[in-house]
Amino acid sequence: MRRPDTSGLCKRAHARGGEAVAGSPAAQVFLDRARAAGRPLALTDGTAAAVAAICDRLGGLPLALELAAAHARFLSPALLLDRLDAATGSPLVRDLPTRQRSMRQTLDWSHDLLTAAEQQLLRRLSVFAGEFSLDAAQQLAGDGDVVPALAGLIEQSLVLAEDERYRMLEPIRQYASARLQESGETALVADRAAGFFTGLASAARGGLRTADQGEWLDRLHRDHDNLSATLRRLIDRGDPGAAAVLLADTWLYWALRGHTVEGIAWLERVASSPLRPAGAAALHVGLAGLRFASGDVPGTAEAGGLAAEAARSAGDNDLLAQALVLSASATVFLGELGRAVAALTEVGRLSGDGWVRAHAGMARAQLQVRTGDLGAAAAAMGEAERAARELGSAFTLATVLNVQASLALAADDDAAALDRWIEAAALAVEVGTTWTFVYTLPGLAVLAARSGMPELAAELFAAGSATAEAGSVAVTYPPDLESAGQWLPAVRAQLGEDAFRRAWERGRGLRPDDVPRLAGMISGRTAPG
């Protein structure tokens, strides 16, 4: 927001009264916010001078004006001005630059008007990075209901409430953080916040694999900055094992919502510290999953093997099953079929959940494709699809559909491939993930090329490329790479460089919501445009 011009406002107020003040943008901000706080102010010659002086004291800063106006509900302009004058004389703000002094003095007297419970909550909330939930605020508040103190902060514009989430503007958060440091509570509060978000990640571990996947992805996305702050706190206090567990619990979130590179960076930072077997298993499962998403198949196989070894030592069968599935998938892609068979045999002896069964079934089918047993591969994919639909995970089902579509394409059943890729696209849109989309888009592009629609094919290839770049994810399944490698040059040659470039630029601007319509064009189900 542009800073309102308050130069000479006090002088004009004394010379012309309320009319001059009412025409000031700064005074209008103050009056509007006072009205919103429940106390409309009538500008008289007396109140105009006080309002003008308040605006001048606050340097026209919109946030400072809003905070001051929040107190107009119970303080007259004259009393507000007295409070500001007292705050101006504080040695804490006397030597600050003008703009900082205006903001600091406003926050100081706003803080002084708070109850002790509100002051404590305000400083503790500063530990959050970005927005937070009521449950998270309650964790920091400790015993007693947090709602009354939180409501008081909201009434005084120190905390903003939006869609059952809360946040502080950055100048207020920085001020509250300084107050937190002064109180000596910083470590205590940071640990309470870390405990809350570690618990959130633990709950997400199962939810990310079920029909509630989209809700959990959204929830973790809203708390992304808080998750990062928690990882930083866990590492700084010398608890890398807890950081590794948090990342293993949420690696699907980091992969599906375009944070693969960031997640790997956190894991590599954790890897620099010594870990017990449980922490090492969690670390390497997270690395295997995120490296697989990023296209690092050899790195996935290596991390999967290390994760399995550590998980056996730790006696954690859930992490062991994840490690074996990821290792099997990667070694199939690398052509190390003996290692893949060993991993799948071991995972078959574990009582894995639906997620493990579905993804192990896919790995088994891909192994059978490599050995040429297409009938067994189709049967294994049928079992994987049943497990995925029973599980309800959009990501898992979309992955299954992508593999089935590739098998159908290899069998020249374009109609079956299209049906599966259209459903996979809809699932990716539903939960807002890019990983499965980078497989679906090139597959649809190949179908468009085979249907004599080279411009549409180029657009879809481009959309796949842009999606991969944005999400830091990559296609690694060999048959899909081979198919795209065959058809993309053919499309380019058919269109010529100029037409191909124009189609490519259009494709890079496509939105996920556009894809179902474009896919329908391949079979003539929808008209262009």
Side-chain angles (χ1 to χ4, degrees):
M1 183 182 294
R2 180 179 295 177
R3 178 182 174 184
D5 181 13
T6 62
S7 59
L9 181 56
C10 285
K11 293 180 181 178
R12 293 199 301 274
H14 286 297
R16 295 168 56 195
E19 180 183 351
V21 177
S24 160
Q28 195 60 57
V29 169
F30 178 83
L31 295 171
D32 286 346
R33 298 313 302 159
R35 187 179 302 111
R39 184 174 178 177
L41 294 175
L43 284 180
T44 65
D45 288 348
T47 59
V51 170
I54 289 169
C55 295
D56 279 352
R57 295 289 195 284
L58 300 181
L61 294 172
L63 177 55
L65 291 167
E66 180 169 344
L67 291 173
H71 298 292
R73 180 167 49 90
F74 51 88
L75 292 175
S76 69
L79 288 175
L80 280 174
L81 181 58
D82 288 343
R83 290 273 183 173
L84 281 176
D85 285 338
T88 303
S90 167
L92 292 173
V93 301
R94 191 179 294 148
D95 297 329
L96 292 173
T98 301
R99 285 177 65 86
Q100 292 183 36
R101 186 165 63 245
S102 297
M103 193 69 251
R104 176 65 191 243
Q105 71 192 37
T106 306
L107 287 166
D108 276 341
W109 63 257
S110 291
H111 179 269
D112 291 343
L113 291 171
L114 299 175
T115 67
E118 290 168 347
Q119 290 178 353
Q120 181 187 69
L121 183 61
L122 177 69
R123 64 178 180 259
R124 289 183 173 185
L125 293 179
S126 69
V127 78
F128 292 127
E131 62 181 56
F132 53 92
S133 66
L134 180 62
D135 288 343
Q138 182 66 65
Q139 177 89 352
L140 299 196
D143 296 334
D145 187 2
V146 74
V147 171
L150 183 59
L153 296 178
I154 294 169
E155 285 181 1
Q156 297 176 71
S157 297
L158 293 166
V159 170
L160 303 179
E162 299 171 351
D163 297 328
E164 299 184 352
R165 301 279 293 183
Y166 307 90
R167 66 183 177 92
M168 288 192 289
L169 296 177
E170 186 58 21
I172 298 173
R173 195 198 67 78
Q174 291 179 8
Y175 173 86
S177 180
R179 288 281 187 174
L180 183 63
Q181 288 184 316
E182 293 168 7
S183 74
E185 292 185 322
T186 302
L188 168 69
V189 175
D191 285 341
R192 283 188 180 181
F196 178 84
F197 291 108
T198 298
L200 177 67
S202 180
R205 178 178 184 169
L208 285 170
R209 305 182 199 177
T210 68
D212 297 328
Q213 183 177 78
E215 295 175 16
W216 277 105
L217 288 171
D218 289 343
R219 185 170 181 181
L220 293 175
H221 173 72
R222 290 193 296 268
D223 277 313
H224 180 90
D225 291 341
N226 287 316
L227 290 173
S228 297
T230 296
L231 289 166
R232 191 174 299 110
R233 175 60 185 164
L234 294 173
I235 293 170
D236 288 348
R237 78 180 189 194
D239 198 354
V245 170
L246 186 154
L247 288 159
D249 287 343
T250 58
W251 75 263
L252 269 174
Y253 160 71
W254 300 85
L256 298 183
R257 283 294 173 91
H259 304 297
T260 303
V261 172
E262 183 183 356
I264 291 173
W266 280 116
L267 286 160
E268 289 177 342
R269 185 173 171 184
V270 171
S272 65
S273 301
L275 293 167
R276 295 179 178 178
L283 168 75
H284 291 296
V285 161
L287 279 172
L290 291 177
R291 285 175 175 168
F292 202 26
S294 73
D296 181 3
V297 179
T300 302
E302 178 186 12
L306 292 171
E309 181 180 351
R312 292 187 198 100
S313 297
D316 191 325
N317 283 345
D318 182 64
L319 286 178
L320 176 58
Q322 288 189 65
L324 292 169
V325 167
L326 289 163
S327 177
S329 298
T331 49
V332 166
F333 289 6
L334 291 171
E336 299 176 9
L337 304 188
R339 288 180 62 189
V341 169
L344 288 170
T345 300
E346 184 176 0
V347 80
R349 293 195 294 265
L350 300 174
S351 55
D353 59 15
W355 190 91
V356 169
R357 292 198 307 274
H359 287 272
M362 278 186 283
R364 190 171 295 107
Q366 290 164 335
L367 172 64
Q368 289 158 342
V369 168
R370 294 297 293 262
T371 61
D373 193 346
L374 299 184
M381 285 308 304
E383 293 177 7
E385 181 183 356
R386 284 190 291 276
R389 291 194 184 278
E390 180 181 343
L391 182 66
S393 161
F395 163 72
T396 298
L397 180 55
T399 304
V400 168
L401 292 167
N402 279 332
V403 176
Q404 287 181 323
S406 295
L407 291 174
L409 187 69
D412 292 326
D413 190 348
D414 288 15
L418 180 61
D419 285 341
R420 284 160 176 76
W421 271 321
I422 286 176
E423 185 178 359
L427 290 165
V429 172
E430 177 186 322
V431 296
T433 178
T434 56
W435 190 0
T436 59
F437 227 22
V438 300
Y439 285 86
T440 302
L441 287 164
L444 290 170
V446 170
L447 288 179
R450 287 163 63 118
S451 299
M453 307 176 74
E455 287 194 8
L456 178 57
E459 290 178 17
L460 291 167
F461 274 127
S465 174
T467 301
E469 291 174 14
S472 299
V473 290
V475 173
T476 53
Y477 185 41
D480 289 350
L481 291 171
E482 293 166 8
S483 180
Q486 172 189 350
W487 283 99
L488 179 57
V491 166
R492 188 169 195 156
Q494 186 174 354
L495 289 175
E497 284 302 318
D498 288 343
F500 179 82
R501 177 180 50 80
R502 289 192 296 270
W504 191 267
E505 289 303 316
R506 289 195 302 272
R508 289 185 65 84
L510 288 176
R511 301 171 303 171
D513 290 348
D514 296 328
V515 175
R517 175 183 60 83
L518 295 176
M521 291 169 55
I522 296 173
S523 63
R525 298 176 189 175
T526 61

